[in-house]
Amino acid sequence: MSLTRRLFCTALLGLAAGSATLSASAAAPQAGSQYLVLPSVQPTDAGNKVEVIEFFAYYCPHCYAFEPALEAWVKKQGDNIVFKRVHIQGGASVLPQQRLFYTLDAMGLLNQYHQKVFDSMHQQHLRLSSDEQVFDWVAQNGIDRAKFVDTYRSFGIQAKLRRAGAMMDSYGVDRWPLVVVDGRFVTSPSHAGAGAPEGTTEAQQQQTALQVMDFLVAKAKADRK
């Protein structure tokens, strides 16, 4: 993956000034700015619910900042949605974090340790950029190291990594955090904050993104009637 693509993670600030306020943007989200419509609808497996996918990276500070608000939004949506996460691909230093995410998920430990991984990287400044660093972190947090390593190196996890890469291509993922709704719509704090006044904070962009996501979930449900 190119450096340019990875650095899109940091492109949430410095948006161009515009006359529309964040609240106005969120009240009437515009296709092509606050959200994008995918050129090809992607298959979903959420049944009658609306599928919502977040593409993120553990190393990404903006993903970390977005996590609490996103988690609260997911809980508020309840049975309206099926929520999934996809850890993006990256270079050699990102791969152990990606494997960590999918291994925790495979072991049924993701809900318990997802936030702890984020906190370890962004509060304790652990890099988790090598297999051994990940294995040490696992042991320090009370996870069976041997069982974790076996899963981490399994064909099943390798298949999940390939699937993540294919999904990034299918959804045109060029920044993170990025959210896909119903296999059709794409938004993010940077999309949702497009045209916001100069000085708009990252937290305000995040809240606008959540309002856009509300709009897209409602639109997806209405379109099925």
Side-chain angles (χ1 to χ4, degrees), residues 189-201:
S190 57
H191 284 111
E198 187 175 0
T200 298
T201 67

Side-chain angles (χ1 to χ4, degrees), residues 201-223:
T201 67
E202 184 171 359
Q204 288 173 316
Q205 294 174 27
Q206 293 169 0
Q207 289 304 312
T208 304
L210 297 176
Q211 293 175 48
V212 173
M213 289 157 58
D214 282 335
F215 170 84
L216 294 175
V217 169
K219 177 174 174 56
K221 290 175 70 69
D223 288 348

Side-chain angles (χ1 to χ4, degrees), residues 146-166:
K147 184 177 180 181
F148 181 91
V149 171
D150 285 346
T151 307
Y152 184 91
R153 291 175 170 163
S154 68
F155 290 115
I157 298 303
Q158 191 61 39
K160 290 179 181 291
L161 301 182
R162 290 194 297 270
R163 173 62 176 156

Side-chain angles (χ1 to χ4, degrees), residues 48 84 88 98 125 165 194:
N48 292 327
K84 303 176 182 179
I88 59 93
Q98 189 186 26
H125 306 294

Side-chain angles (χ1 to χ4, degrees), residues 16 41 68 74 85 100 130 155 164 174 187 206:
V41 177
V74 170
R85 290 185 173 91
L100 168 59
S130 72
F155 290 115
D174 62 359
T187 192
Q206 293 169 0

Side-chain angles (χ1 to χ4, degrees), residues 25-80:
S25 297
Q30 298 297 308
S33 58
Q34 278 77 41
Y35 69 93
L36 305 178
V37 180
L38 289 172
S40 299
V41 177
Q42 299 301 309
T44 65
D45 57 1
N48 292 327
K49 299 180 182 180
V50 177
E51 182 182 80
V52 178
I53 303 174
E54 182 206 17
F55 288 86
F56 83 102
Y58 276 134
Y59 75 84
C60 170
H62 302 294
C63 299
Y64 179 59
F66 191 40
E67 178 64 21
L70 177 62
E71 184 70 20
W73 180 87
V74 170
K75 290 180 180 179
K76 181 180 177 181
Q77 286 292 323
D79 289 339
N80 279 330

